[in-house]
Amino acid sequence: METTKFAIPEIIFGRGSLKYAGQCALRHGAKKVFLVSDSGIEEAGWVQRLMDVLAEAGINWIYYPGVTSNPRDYEVEQGAKFYLKNDCDVIMAIGGGSSLDTAKGIAIIASNGGKIRDYEGANRVERPLPPMVFITTTAGSGSDISQFCIITDVERAVKMSIITRTLVPNIAIVDPLILRTKTETLIIQSAVDALAHAIEAYVSRIASPFTEPQSLKAIDLIMRNLQSAVQTRSLDSLEQLSIASIAASMAFSNASLGAEHALAHSLGGQFDMSHGVIHPILLTSVMRFNLDSCVSKMADIGRVILNKNLGSDKETAMEGINKLDEFFASFDVPLKLRQVVNKDDQKHLEPICKMAVNDVCNLTNPRSASWQELLTICEKVW
Amino acid sequence: MAPHTTLEDLVGIEHSKLGFYQELQRKVEELKTSNNELEEKRKEVQALLDGITDLMVVLSEDLKIQSVNHVFGEWYPEADPIGKKCYEIFNEGDSPCEECPVLKALDCDETTKDLRIYEEGGKLRHYELIASPLKISTTGERTVLLFKRDVTREKEFQAQFYQAEKMATVGTLAAGVAHEINNPLTAISGFAEGLRRRLSRIQGKVEDDLYDDFEEYTDTILKECLRCRDIVRSLLTFSRPVASTLRPVDLNQCIEDTLFILKHHFKEQHKVTVKTELYKKLPMIQGDESQLKQVIINLFTNALDAMDGGGTLLVKTYPLEDNGAGLIVKDTGCGIPQEIQNKLFEPFFTTKPAGKGVGIGLSTCYSIVKNHNGEISVSSEEGKGSSFCVRIPGIDK
């Protein structure tokens, strides 16, 4: 076995664990916290709740509300200026992947300077980042656990992956109570995102004995709980989903992803669509494409999905993927690309696939994928 | 565009969450260096402060001592000054001194100087006080740095300088006067000589009484002329002492010679005992024998004059550290009052009754001794006697 590595932040998990945010910041020497969030979280009241927690701990903060979905390079650079101008010392973010990635980008620029695109790729951040304390409100993106940061390069219309161990936050707080205010769409999107993370990490070329059980656990929890979470919104189901998300994040942060995420990043960069929308469309197609390269692993996944073993590994794997299609179809989500991309934009698919080939995620895909092959996948799901 | 990424990059074995450890270490090193530099600077400043021989205290607005330098400990070894009021230590008083320079410095916000005379151990000592307001207090509280410098010696030197300058002026004046007097004096004396030569021609031609009167008056004129001539000569010596040739002289021999000359003089003073303590191996000095004798005569006659009612005259010689010779002439006479001691060596200053002295004896002594590069000083106590001390440097110092 190759030498491997497994790194995750301190994770504080539990109902009401938001109340520890202040102490977490204090432990990292916070006097003035740079608080990143967006208007949706603000409206749900969580920003105010977090501010109360900080105030109770006697910590000052500067609130930076400038988060949009699919954060852009200039937003991050502006945020860093704001951070430095206000002499902050700890970065705290509450929100989904966008808020957390914005916070990560700000952290990089604030302590390393330059433009965010200078750090695209792996291990290019050289100076320590401000301590990061992240509170997820989606339990899907995994940004609160992972060494990934995805920022859109506006000029090139591409989502840049910035990967470095130093981007692993210091503390991730997952409070299932926060998840109760999620919309149905958001519950589905973040769960499917986590599912995609788990599956792609499991078949990744650098999956390890430390990531694989996390992947299977995540797949299992999502398959068993998403339906009831959407229907009943029960706290128990949401809690199980958030555990699944953490498990999937632990897996993909260390094992990376695959061609499906490479495509998703390129599509997202081009069309500014919500990341979670793409997975039900693409995931099973990419799995079928990969199947022959990792039959036994796909069978493992199939066994978890089906909760049983069929005649052969291949059968089990195939049936698992089919079952997954059914699973996605049971939710009110788009299953074809044409549902989310204009007909006129179909011509962009070729450049998108050419770009996706170079995405870092494509590197760990179990089967080498050319842009033509990726384009074929896209055309199949059009 | 990002450089080519590999699977190893993603695993990132050699990369980890960057801590501030290195930065911290660098910071600690920087702080250490800067701390060392500051410590060096502090020592330098401390050495400068320690080099100051004046007493320094830092006072608060209410005159409480906040800190002192090492000189304070030397001057006031007993006192524990911090927190006490300055006047409690310096003046042993219970209220601020009049026209306190510290308060003045605070009022005007500028450096103030003052000169104070304190009596310490029966002696008057002069102190210069310099108070400077300090503007370094972090609390905004105003403080004053007070210097206290002992300027007693400076004051003494200054007084001596004034004295020497005065003497020089008076000397020039005396020389001028002496020259002016010399000419008429020569004429008077010449014509008086002429009269005396012609006296024989009128002998028997006038009444004897008249002749006797003429003779007596002429003699008196001549005698007084001679006296005047001596005075004038002394004055000239004082102002412009003859550029006499200095040669090795035995001070003891001078004293013995002088005592011999004055033998008869002493015999008349029955009640005066003369004691000599002459140091046997007294070093030779470079000097003018006749001038030195003049000094000795002067000191002896002064001493005798001071002991009208009898007493002891002690004549003592002793070697000096620089191979020179010292002479002490001590009497048990009436003494010299404190207030005129510093006028003794001025020309024309005399305490003798009019006619008995003209006050150039000691001034002449002064100029002779100075010309020998020596010193003459007096210490005296009224009613107990006086002691004159002459110190002449050796041939090769």
Side-chain angles (χ1 to χ4, degrees), chain A residues 342-380:
Chain A
N342 291 331
K343 180 87 177 98
D344 300 345
D345 287 329
Q346 199 178 357
K347 60 178 185 289
H348 292 303
L349 286 179
E350 189 179 314
I352 285 170
C353 291
K354 282 180 176 169
M355 202 170 272
V357 173
N358 292 320
D359 192 286
V360 177
C361 293
N362 198 36
L363 200 61
T364 42
N365 198 58
R367 176 178 167 190
S368 299
S370 65
W371 68 266
Q372 290 93 341
E373 287 165 324
L374 292 183
L375 187 58
T376 313
I377 293 170
C378 289
E379 279 160 358
K380 272 187 187 164

Side-chain angles (χ1 to χ4, degrees), chain A residues 91-327:
Chain A
I91 292 190
M92 191 175 273
I94 181 165
S98 301
S99 292
L100 307 192
D101 279 351
T102 302
K104 283 182 173 182
I106 289 172
I108 292 173
I109 303 295
S111 62
N112 288 263
K115 300 271 176 196
I116 194 69
R117 76 163 63 156
D118 301 342
Y119 305 98
E120 187 183 0
N123 303 317
R124 305 193 57 202
V125 177
E126 302 202 325
R127 290 172 53 78
L129 308 184
M132 294 178 278
V133 178
F134 287 176
I135 302 134
T136 180
T137 57
T138 57
S141 75
S143 188
D144 53 333
I145 311 285
S146 79
Q147 58 166 335
F148 288 71
C149 168
I150 313 293
I151 305 287
T152 302
D153 183 331
V154 175
E155 205 178 302
R156 290 183 288 146
V158 64
K159 284 194 169 183
M160 297 180 287
S161 297
I162 300 162
I163 309 161
T164 162
R165 293 289 179 187
T166 208
L167 270 178
V168 174
N170 297 65
I171 299 180
I173 296 175
V174 183
D175 183 350
L177 291 181
I178 298 178
L179 308 178
R180 279 197 302 189
T181 51
K182 282 166 79 175
T183 60
E184 183 184 319
T185 319
L186 196 53
I187 292 172
I188 298 169
Q189 284 184 358
S190 37
V192 172
D193 192 14
L195 187 62
H197 289 156
I199 291 171
E200 287 218 289
Y202 189 69
V203 297
S204 160
R205 293 182 188 212
I206 55 172
S208 79
F210 311 100
T211 63
E212 286 160 358
Q214 306 294 345
S215 288
L216 295 181
K217 176 76 178 166
I219 296 167
D220 188 33
L221 286 174
I222 293 165
M223 296 305 291
R224 314 282 163 256
N225 290 285
L226 182 53
Q227 201 59 258
S228 69
V230 172
Q231 280 162 12
T232 68
R233 298 291 203 95
S234 83
L235 192 53
D236 287 340
S237 304
L238 287 170
E239 191 173 70
Q240 293 303 306
L241 285 183
S242 59
I243 294 170
S245 167
I246 295 172
S249 302
M250 291 198 283
F252 93 82
S253 179
N254 291 284
S256 192
L257 296 160
E260 197 268 346
H261 261 83
L263 268 176
H265 288 157
S266 291
L267 284 164
Q270 187 70 42
F271 301 123
D272 194 23
M273 58 176 65
S274 185
H275 182 61
V277 169
I278 297 168
H279 303 302
I281 300 169
L282 278 180
L283 186 60
T284 49
S285 282
V286 175
M287 285 172 79
R288 288 192 180 95
F289 170 77
N290 283 335
L291 178 57
D292 288 338
S293 306
C294 50
V295 178
S296 123
K297 280 202 155 182
M298 282 296 185
D300 292 340
I301 295 171
R303 261 187 293 279
V304 171
I305 294 172
L306 301 167
N307 211 13
K308 63 180 175 187
N309 224 348
L310 297 184
S312 67
D313 273 0
K314 180 120 182 192
E315 255 177 287
T316 311
M318 290 289 288
E319 193 49 34
I321 297 170
N322 292 337
K323 176 81 182 174
L324 206 51
D325 273 332
E326 283 173 36
F327 180 69

Side-chain angles (χ1 to χ4, degrees), chain B residues 177-353:
Chain B
V177 172
H179 273 295
E180 289 306 311
I181 288 174
N182 235 359
N183 292 336
L185 196 60
T186 313
I188 293 168
S189 144
F191 285 116
E193 284 284 355
L195 282 178
R196 196 166 66 174
R197 274 200 304 276
R198 285 166 179 78
L199 269 180
S200 55
R201 288 201 231 159
I202 60 166
Q203 196 171 18
K205 290 180 188 166
V206 294
E207 288 167 34
D208 283 352
D209 283 358
L210 188 61
Y211 178 82
D212 289 347
D213 282 353
F214 278 170
E215 193 176 32
E216 191 193 337
Y217 292 173
T218 316
D219 282 348
T220 308
I221 292 172
L222 278 170
K223 209 168 80 192
E224 290 304 311
C225 274
L226 282 177
R227 210 164 96 86
C228 281
R229 196 191 60 198
D230 285 347
I231 293 171
V232 165
R233 197 172 289 159
S234 297
L235 274 179
L236 284 172
T237 318
F238 173 78
S239 69
R240 176 179 40 81
V242 191
S244 50
T245 46
L246 300 184
R247 54 175 62 89
V249 175
D250 180 358
L251 192 59
N252 283 347
Q253 191 59 51
C254 290
I255 291 165
E256 274 159 13
D257 288 352
T258 313
L259 284 173
F260 181 76
I261 295 167
L262 293 180
K263 193 168 57 183
H264 298 287
H265 203 59
F266 284 126
K267 274 183 184 163
E268 285 167 22
Q269 304 270 346
H270 300 292
K271 297 167 201 159
V272 172
T273 324
V274 179
K275 269 173 74 177
T276 56
E277 285 177 20
L278 303 184
Y279 188 81
K280 274 185 187 156
K281 288 181 180 166
L282 197 65
M284 299 285 269
I285 52 170
Q286 191 82 5
D288 181 307
E289 196 176 326
S290 64
Q291 283 190 356
L292 287 174
K293 280 178 182 168
Q294 197 182 336
V295 171
I296 296 163
I297 291 171
N298 244 306
L299 294 180
F300 284 176
T301 45
N302 279 345
L304 289 179
D305 288 345
M307 295 187 289
D308 250 356
T312 308
L313 174 68
L314 173 68
V315 185
K316 183 180 169 182
T317 57
Y318 61 98
L320 297 181
E321 275 171 21
D322 61 1
N323 211 23
L327 161 69
I328 289 175
V329 177
K330 191 170 188 242
D331 64 58
T332 54
C334 55
I336 306 158
Q338 181 80 28
E339 60 269 22
I340 61 164
Q341 277 182 19
N342 57 352
K343 291 182 184 169
L344 281 184
F345 301 106
E346 282 177 30
F348 308 115
F349 179 82
T350 183
T351 56
K352 293 172 185 169

Side-chain angles (χ1 to χ4, degrees), chain A residues 38-101:
Chain A
D38 63 59
S39 51
I41 310 302
E42 216 179 307
E43 279 157 27
W46 294 115
V47 173
Q48 188 54 52
R49 172 80 184 90
L50 180 55
M51 286 175 175
D52 293 344
V53 169
L54 291 178
E56 220 169 281
I59 303 173
N60 284 325
W61 66 85
I62 286 289
Y63 180 46
Y64 180 72
V67 174
T68 59
S69 82
N70 298 322
R72 286 125 175 118
D73 45 11
Y74 63 89
E75 292 169 347
V76 163
E77 284 149 20
Q78 278 171 1
K81 272 187 202 153
F82 193 49
Y83 175 91
L84 292 173
K85 198 179 120 192
N86 284 290
D87 245 344
C88 299
D89 40 26
V90 164
I91 292 190
M92 191 175 273
I94 181 165
S98 301
S99 292
L100 307 192
D101 279 351

Side-chain angles (χ1 to χ4, degrees), chain A residues 4-5 120 122-124 126-129 147 156 163 165-166 168 170 360 363-364, chain B residues 1-7 9-20 23:
Chain A
T4 189
K5 186 168 190 170
E120 187 183 0
N123 303 317
R124 305 193 57 202
E126 302 202 325
R127 290 172 53 78
L129 308 184
Q147 58 166 335
R156 290 183 288 146
I163 309 161
R165 293 289 179 187
T166 208
V168 174
N170 297 65
V360 177
L363 200 61
T364 42
Chain B
M1 197 59 201
H4 186 62
T5 308
T6 64
L7 293 181
D9 287 333
L10 293 179
V11 178
I13 299 288
E14 290 163 10
H15 300 270
S16 36
K17 186 153 184 67
L18 299 170
F20 288 88
E23 224 151 282

Side-chain angles (χ1 to χ4, degrees), chain B residues 97-126:
Chain B
C97 315
E98 273 176 47
E99 289 182 38
C100 170
V102 175
L103 295 177
K104 204 169 151 196
L106 280 171
D107 277 351
C108 311
D109 199 25
E110 61 184 24
T111 303
T112 342
K113 286 189 185 182
D114 197 10
L115 200 67
R116 295 279 160 126
I117 300 169
Y118 296 107
E119 195 179 326
E120 277 172 19
K123 274 196 160 182
L124 293 179
R125 297 202 72 89
H126 296 255

